[in-house]
Amino acid sequence: WFIVSPKHHQIHHSTDSRHMDKNFGSSLIIWDRIFNTYYEPNEDTAAPDFKCGVLDKNRNVSFIHE
């Protein structure tokens, strides 16, 4: 309920529109639960066709722009 697992973190990198802007916490899930950005991993995230990546290739030009 509090600690981020790899399964939770993969949602943050998903290209699925249901997962956009979800699971921002890098170590604690509690912040996502407080700010209503938490997505519980389930059978759709365990599927072999689960895709991760960046949709907008020009979004992060460098770490300075972050």
Side-chain angles (χ1 to χ4, degrees):
W1 214 86
F2 295 103
I3 306 294
V4 172
S5 72
K7 191 167 192 145
H8 292 111
H9 189 67
Q10 78 176 357
I11 299 298
H12 177 73
H13 295 283
S14 174
T15 58
D16 191 329
S17 62
R18 295 173 294 170
H19 305 153
M20 292 295 162
D21 298 326
K22 301 291 182 189
N23 294 11
F24 288 100
S26 60
S27 58
L28 299 175
I29 296 172
I30 189 71
W31 300 112
D32 287 312
R33 292 187 185 271
I34 289 171
F35 294 108
N36 200 28
T37 58
Y38 179 73
Y39 184 92
E40 178 69 36
N42 54 32
E43 63 277 346
D44 70 326
T45 60
D49 58 344
F50 181 80
K51 302 279 191 266
C52 292
V54 178
L55 295 177
D56 183 1
K57 299 294 183 197
N58 297 319
R59 183 173 177 195
N60 296 323
V61 178
S62 76
F63 74 93
I64 295 170
H65 290 103
E66 285 286 322

